[in-house]
Amino acid sequence: MSKFKLRFNMTAITLAVSSLFVTSLAAAEDIRVISSGGFAQAYKNLASAYEKSSSDKLISGWGPSMGTTANAIPVRMARGENIDVVIMVGDSLDTLMKEGKLVAGSKVVLANSLIACAVKTGNAKPDISTVDGLKQAFLQARTVAYSDSASGEYIKHQLMKKLGIAEQMQGKAAQIPATPVGEIIAHGEADFGCQQRSELLPVAGIDIVGLLPQEVQLSTPFSAAIVSGSKVQKNAQALLDFLSSEKNAGVIAETGLAPVAAKK
């Protein structure tokens, strides 16, 4: 091969590699994600790995799946906030999908979540392994906290009635907007509280007593979808594929959730 042909071939290869590199850079995008608390820790634990594998940059925010606080995902959607992906309780996500605010067919169920209860570190741990034990834990606590999202709505409107203590808990049980229930307990503002186990686990200063008994437990699915009008839908889909991949199921499980991918 002549020196001219060798130089030509090497130049062509260099240009091709450079072109691929530039194309890769051009394909990287900012993806704006809002996650509710139940999946937040799993998302945080996976975010850096996704960024490294894709070159996309995740711009993350947090908010409850329901409610009327400023950070609530439906409220943020209603005011037209720039969001590409939402991760939230499945039922609330379905409502947004029906309203046309999410891309039809983009929903992916990521994990199921169970409700647990906690006390401040060092305080006596009530036995909530039975329905009667849970009932006594609620009644004997001076103050009780639960969230303003899926778990709290269930506790307020269904669990208290199932336990037959709705009237007795009036005045000492409070639904906490925005602030994680674990933080309220850690600061001594409530003796006892319940929320998604995945939301309690990261909080310092509390001891998780256990899960609600199976007879009165609520399993909540957390799902993700692409927001209608997102300008980075291809990248957003890549993120959903990553979060729902079976290879990441272990990371999700470590946060107290039951990954759906692990069942495949």
Side-chain angles (χ1 to χ4, degrees):
M1 181 182 291
S2 68
K3 291 184 178 179
F4 176 77
K5 288 184 177 180
L6 179 61
R7 287 197 195 98
F8 178 81
N9 288 340
M10 290 302 295
T11 300
I13 292 171
T14 301
L15 288 172
V17 171
S18 298
S19 177
L20 286 173
F21 181 70
V22 170
T23 300
S24 176
L25 285 178
E29 298 283 358
D30 289 350
I31 306 176
R32 290 170 171 79
V33 182
I34 303 297
S35 174
S36 59
F39 198 81
Q41 192 60 51
Y43 169 80
K44 291 175 184 177
N45 292 352
L46 289 169
S48 61
Y50 174 77
E51 288 181 325
K52 289 178 182 177
S53 67
S54 67
S55 296
D56 290 332
K57 180 181 179 182
L58 300 179
I59 300 174
S60 309
W62 322 104
S65 297
M66 56 191 70
T68 58
T69 59
N71 285 334
I73 294 175
V75 174
R76 300 173 87 139
M77 295 285 290
R79 65 173 176 251
E81 190 170 324
N82 188 7
I83 304 170
D84 299 301
V85 170
V86 293
I87 304 173
M88 58 197 295
V89 171
D91 289 346
S92 296
L93 186 147
D94 290 341
T95 297
L96 293 176
M97 186 75 74
K98 290 175 183 176
E99 293 173 352
K101 296 178 180 178
L102 304 176
V103 175
S106 68
K107 174 185 174 180
V108 57
V109 182
L110 300 173
N112 290 305
S113 178
L114 299 178
I115 301 171
C117 301
V119 296
K120 186 174 182 179
T121 298
N123 286 0
K125 299 178 183 178
D127 181 1
I128 65 168
S129 61
T130 65
V131 173
D132 187 62
L134 177 65
K135 176 179 178 179
Q136 294 306 315
F138 275 115
L139 291 174
Q140 292 172 14
R142 290 176 300 174
T143 51
V144 174
Y146 46 87
S147 80
D148 67 342
S149 196
S151 61
E153 286 294 289
Y154 168 71
I155 291 168
K156 180 179 180 180
H157 298 292
Q158 298 183 53
L159 180 60
M160 295 298 182
K161 292 179 181 178
K162 289 180 180 180
L163 297 178
I165 58 173
E167 292 185 7
Q168 294 97 309
M169 297 306 296
Q170 290 182 9
K172 72 171 186 176
Q175 196 165 27
I176 309 299
T179 306
V181 169
E183 292 183 14
I184 297 296
I185 298 170
H187 296 154
E189 298 173 39
D191 299 327
F192 184 72
C194 305
Q195 196 168 19
Q196 306 290 352
R197 176 173 57 179
S198 59
E199 294 185 72
L200 292 173
L201 278 174
V203 180
I206 65 172
D207 290 329
I208 296 180
V209 176
L211 295 169
L212 297 185
Q214 186 175 354
E215 301 94 313
V216 293
Q217 179 62 263
L218 175 71
S219 178
T220 301
F222 280 87
S223 303
I226 302 169
V227 176
S228 298
S230 168
K231 297 179 180 179
V232 293
Q233 291 191 20
K234 183 177 180 180
N235 303 69
Q237 184 61 56
L239 173 60
L240 297 194
D241 293 342
F242 180 86
L243 293 175
S244 60
S245 171
E246 188 173 356
K247 70 179 182 180
N248 292 319
V251 176
I252 294 173
E254 288 174 357
T255 68
L257 295 167
V260 171
K263 298 179 181 180
K264 293 180 181 179

